[in-house]
């Protein structure tokens, strides 16, 4: 059995009603899914005093290796460490996708003694939110193709008899693709509508992975069900032949799509291995979406706990930048502190160490002391601390300790973090749970006691090219930006339609500060290429695609799913 899964099963979860009761939530405020998981009603805290608000902490990281550096593990370990210090703390994290769970990375429940349980439920279907997103998204896609076919086949009078008006959709200007929650590169480009005239209009399209759906971003950024309904109705799915946008409201499908998401609006409640509450809600990817859990979960938790620890995807250059410039703008919330997770392993890679490949043994350099590699790699840590500090909040570096790390290597990391202006703590939560994260908890509590001056990176009123340029220069270290003709045309169209005042959600690799996953350390002196620009009007952002970024990942030669099965008793084995 996988070690993490074995540890998760060694602990019997507390009844979820008891976990909720610790936060002051009653049974009538829950929607139970068995004994160990529940949804918290989205309006559960409406009657509580608005004066109570906990400290808000965002956990981000340096540029990771393909193995990940334990950001979720650190988020959960920090919550357990704060509980060890007598504080009420809640973690707010995203729901994982089947893409990485069965692909390269594996699950996202944390690891060791700092996990979400039940681990299998968390990593698989949970309460069905991911399926609801896929169903609603593909309903919209079906409605769009059906409408185009019927407009081809019916006269204006025939449409009017059915209570419809001609939308005049341009089949070559459809922007809404289908989704599936599986890494499947064969679906990146497909042709639909093949067959006879009753099978639709043949056209080129493709699939994205479900977490990249605009509906997922709408769910994560909504204030409540009615706000979600408004956002769903604003989604642009295509353009007419005259260049004007077609929305889900125009198709008459916005209400039905929202109905499919009605239960998904409620955050899921699980627990850490040590019994602290974990809100799991929404799951947008950070490299191809905005990479943060829901505003509803954060707002709910902040009314119930002294500390709310949320996690933004990947490094400070991606998920944390979007946390501030997209999520915090929408929520009106601002963090008290940011935690940057670093590992000796990742710093060795940035210092010039060999590539790291999931499923293969680590090269020797990563399991023996090499002070020189760590020192050279600390430039990446320094840059991420600088990025976090640029948003006006105190920063704590959490050094996620691995068993092979030496005291001398850890000392180098601490010194680099402190020299960059951050507080630092070595955390051993993977091996020791909350007891291994008390130093980190103390450092975070001290940071939260200071007065932050949070700020955004850019003004919304700035032109789209200016906002893209600011992110490219000040976050990614690029000297400039280049655009394909298609990207230039899209920007001009969006600004002409009045979308230019939206925030920007950059889609780029998480494996480098740049657009090129092979460029490690702190790349500089390069031009950031923008090959395509799309708009998520319902969610409320424009997203440029940098380099060869894919919105549908592919499976590796030996995926994680090859080790997953059931045993003789019907239990899951091999889930990581």
């Amino acid at each position: 059995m996988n070690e993490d899964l074995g540890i998760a099963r060694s602990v019997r979860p507390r009844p979820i009603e008891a976990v909720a009761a610790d936060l002051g939530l009653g049974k009538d405020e829950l929607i139970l899914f068995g004994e160990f998981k529940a949804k918290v009603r989205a309006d559960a805290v409406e009657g509580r005093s608005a004066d109570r608000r906990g400290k808000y902490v965002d956990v981000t990281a340096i540029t990771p290796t393909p193995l990940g550096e334990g950001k979720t593990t650190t988020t959960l370990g920090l919550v357990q460490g704060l509980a060890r210090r007598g504080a009420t703390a809640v973690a707010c994290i995203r729901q994982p996708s089947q893409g990485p769970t069965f692909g390269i990375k594996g699950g996202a429940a944390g690891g060791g003694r700092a996990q979400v349980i039940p681990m299998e439920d968390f990593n698989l279907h949970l309460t069905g939110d991911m399926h609801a997103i896929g169903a609603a998204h593909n309903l919209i896609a079906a409605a769009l193709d059906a409408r185009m076919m019927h407009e081809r086949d019916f006269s204006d009078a025939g449409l009017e008899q059915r209570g419809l008006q001609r939308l005049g959709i341009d089949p070559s200007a459809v922007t809404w693709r289908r989704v599936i929650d599986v890494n499947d590169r064969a679906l990146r480009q497909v042709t639909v509508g093949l067959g006879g005239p009753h099978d639709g209009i043949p056209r080129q399209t493709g699939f994205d992975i479900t977490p990249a759906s605009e509906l997922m971003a709408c769910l994560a950024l909504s204030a409540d069900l009615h706000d979600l309904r408004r956002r769903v109705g604003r989604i642009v799915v295509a353009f007419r032949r005259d260049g004007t946008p077609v929305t889900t409201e125009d198709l008459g499908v916005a209400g039905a799509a929202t109905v499919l998401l009605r239960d998904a609006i409620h955050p899921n409640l699980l627990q850490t291995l040590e019994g602290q509450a974990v809100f799991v809600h929404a799951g947008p990817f950070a490299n191809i979406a905005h990479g943060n859990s829901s505003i509803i979960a954060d707002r709910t938790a902040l009314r119930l706990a002294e500390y709310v620890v949320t996690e933004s995807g990947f490094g400070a250059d991606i998920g944390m930048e979007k946390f501030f410039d997209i999520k915090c703008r929408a929520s009106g919330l601002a963090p008290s502190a940011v935690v940057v997770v670093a590992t000796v392993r990742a710093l060795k890679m940035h210092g010039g160490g060999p590539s790291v490949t999931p499923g293969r043994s680590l090269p020797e350099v990563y399991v023996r002391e090499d002070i020189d590699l760590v020192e050279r790699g600390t430039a990446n840590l320094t840059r991420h601390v600088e990025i976090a500090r640029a948003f006006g909040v105190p920063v704590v570096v959490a050094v996620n300790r691995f068993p092979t790390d030496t005291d001398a290597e850890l000392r180098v990391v601490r010194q680099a973090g402190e020299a960059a202006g951050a507080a630092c703590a070595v955390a051993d939560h993977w091996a020791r749970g909350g007891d291994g994260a008390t130093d980190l908890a103390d450092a975070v509590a001290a940071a939260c006691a200071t007065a932050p001056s949070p700020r955004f990176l850019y003004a919304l009123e700035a032109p789209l090219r200016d906002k893209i340029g600011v992110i490219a220069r000040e976050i990614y270290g690029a000297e400039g930006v280049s655009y394909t003709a298609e990207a230039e045309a899209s920007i001009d169209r969006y600004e002409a339609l009045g979308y230019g005042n939206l925030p920007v959600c950059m889609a780029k690799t998480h494996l480098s500060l740049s657009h090129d996953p092979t460029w490690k350390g702190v790349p500089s002196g390069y031009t950031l290429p923008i090959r395509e620009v799309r708009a998520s009007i319902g969610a409320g952002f424009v997203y440029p695609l940098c380099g060869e970024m894919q919105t549908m990942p592919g499976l590796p030669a030996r995926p994680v799913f090859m080790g997953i099965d059931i045993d003789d008793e019907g239990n899951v084995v091999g889930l990581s």
Side-chain angles (χ1 to χ4, degrees):
M1 182 184 296
N2 173 271
E3 183 175 7
D4 288 342
L5 183 54
I7 292 171
R9 286 197 181 146
S10 71
V11 176
R12 179 171 174 78
R14 300 172 61 205
I16 201 64
E17 290 181 65
V19 176
D22 289 346
L23 301 178
L25 292 168
K27 186 174 181 179
D28 60 334
E29 295 171 308
L30 305 176
I31 304 170
L32 295 174
F33 285 76
E35 188 178 359
F36 303 124
K37 59 183 177 179
K39 280 184 170 290
V40 177
R41 295 188 182 278
D43 59 356
V45 297
E46 285 186 0
R48 289 171 167 77
S49 170
D51 295 335
R52 179 176 179 180
R53 178 164 291 174
K55 299 292 186 180
Y56 193 31
V57 180
D58 180 55
V59 176
T60 184
I62 64 172
T63 305
T65 70
L67 304 177
E69 307 316 307
K71 187 154 42 62
T72 304
T73 308
T74 301
T75 298
L76 300 169
L78 173 56
V79 166
Q80 294 175 164
L82 288 164
R84 284 283 193 270
R85 293 305 197 210
T88 304
V90 174
C92 290
I93 60 178
R94 291 173 293 163
Q95 179 178 346
S97 161
Q98 287 183 179
T101 297
F102 292 131
I104 293 178
K105 187 179 178 184
R113 306 301 307 180
Q115 294 189 57
V116 181
I117 53 175
M119 188 255 221
E120 302 101 307
D121 293 40
F122 174 81
N123 279 318
L124 299 175
H125 304 287
L126 196 51
T127 59
D129 294 351
M130 193 72 72
H131 304 309
I133 293 288
H137 184 111
N138 292 331
L139 174 65
I140 293 170
L144 177 58
D145 278 304
R147 184 60 173 265
M148 288 191 292
M149 185 194 74
H150 291 309
E151 289 197 7
R152 178 199 65 190
D153 296 341
F154 286 111
S155 65
D156 289 350
L159 290 172
E160 290 174 5
Q161 287 176 359
R162 292 160 177 81
L164 303 173
Q165 291 185 335
R166 187 171 299 279
L167 296 178
I169 300 166
D170 181 354
S172 68
V174 171
T175 57
W176 194 255
R177 294 153 58 92
R178 285 167 169 80
V179 298
I180 187 172
D181 196 31
V182 176
N183 289 355
D184 194 347
R185 58 171 52 83
L187 295 178
R188 288 173 180 167
Q189 303 295 330
V190 301
T191 301
V192 297
L194 298 178
H198 298 299
D199 296 315
I201 297 176
R203 64 182 183 86
Q204 295 292 316
T205 181
F207 279 73
D208 296 330
I209 194 160
T210 302
S213 168
E214 184 173 351
L215 291 176
M216 181 65 83
C218 289
L219 176 65
L221 292 169
S222 293
D224 52 37
L225 182 61
H226 298 294
D227 185 31
L228 177 62
R229 173 62 180 83
R230 288 188 290 271
R231 289 176 181 272
V232 171
R234 292 199 303 260
I235 291 173
V236 173
V237 295
F239 290 88
R240 296 177 175 86
R241 290 184 175 85
D242 64 5
T244 56
V246 177
T247 67
T248 56
E249 207 73 74
D250 295 327
L251 289 174
V253 72
T258 306
V259 166
L260 287 171
L261 301 176
R262 185 182 62 168
D263 292 333
I265 198 74
H266 307 294
N268 303 294
L269 179 63
L270 282 82
Q271 62 189 282
T272 71
L273 275 173
E274 297 179 3
Q276 290 77 41
V278 180
F279 283 136
V280 182
H281 200 209
F285 275 1
N287 48 3
I288 53 181
H290 78 284
N292 285 266
S293 61
S294 79
I295 287 173
I296 291 174
D298 287 2
R299 283 179 169 169
T300 301
L302 284 165
R303 299 276 290 277
L304 300 171
E306 296 170 89
Y307 291 91
V308 173
V309 183
T310 192
E311 175 192 342
S312 53
F314 298 123
D317 58 319
I318 306 183
M320 193 213 71
E321 183 271 318
K322 297 170 185 177
F323 170 78
F324 278 94
D325 285 323
I326 297 175
K327 183 177 181 180
C328 290
R329 284 186 198 269
S331 69
L333 302 172
S336 302
V338 165
V339 175
V340 176
V341 178
T343 64
V344 168
R345 177 179 68 191
L347 294 176
K348 285 181 176 179
M349 180 190 69
H350 289 294
S355 60
V356 174
T357 304
R360 297 183 185 176
S361 299
L362 281 173
E364 178 66 20
V365 68
Y366 293 109
V367 294
R368 61 172 170 79
E369 183 174 277
D370 193 321
I371 299 299
D372 183 54
L373 269 187
V374 177
E375 287 179 337
R376 294 206 304 267
T378 56
N380 186 269
L381 170 61
T382 297
R383 183 71 192 111
H384 281 280
V385 171
E386 290 171 349
I387 291 170
R389 293 187 68 202
F391 287 89
V393 296
V395 179
V396 177
V397 170
V399 187
N400 183 18
R401 181 168 197 163
F402 288 13
T404 53
D405 298 343
T406 68
D407 290 342
E409 290 173 329
L410 294 169
R411 196 157 45 245
V412 169
V413 182
R414 289 192 62 145
Q415 290 169 350
E418 290 169 354
C424 293
V426 175
D428 197 18
H429 43 279
W430 186 91
R432 299 172 52 215
D435 285 340
T438 52
D439 288 348
L440 175 59
D442 292 342
V444 169
C448 288
T450 64
S453 302
R455 53 183 175 268
F456 302 123
L457 187 64
Y458 51 77
L460 288 180
E461 296 75 21
L464 288 174
R465 289 177 181 83
D466 288 358
K467 287 182 277 200
I468 293 169
V470 168
I471 296 171
R473 292 189 305 272
E474 298 190 18
I475 304 299
Y476 306 157
E479 284 191 352
V481 182
S482 65
Y483 299 91
T484 63
E486 179 185 359
E488 293 271 17
S490 295
I491 290 174
D492 292 341
R493 168 187 276 184
Y494 295 146
E495 290 189 329
L497 290 169
Y499 304 152
N501 62 346
L502 294 175
V504 168
C505 180
M506 301 288 273
K508 82 168 188 73
T509 179
H510 59 288
L511 296 174
S512 173
L513 281 164
S514 73
H515 64 285
D516 188 328
T518 66
W519 295 357
K520 305 305 180 183
V522 185
S524 61
Y526 67 95
T527 299
L528 182 74
I530 305 296
R531 66 174 176 85
E532 186 179 351
V533 179
R534 302 178 186 176
S536 293
I537 305 307
F541 54 71
V542 172
Y543 66 106
L545 277 68
C546 306
E548 296 304 312
M549 192 67 232
Q550 293 286 352
T551 53
M552 168 56 81
L555 288 170
R558 186 172 181 83
V560 172
F561 68 68
M562 295 183 75
I564 298 175
D565 209 330
I566 55 173
D567 62 18
D568 292 340
E569 285 74 43
N571 297 312
V572 176
V573 294
L575 194 62
S576 62

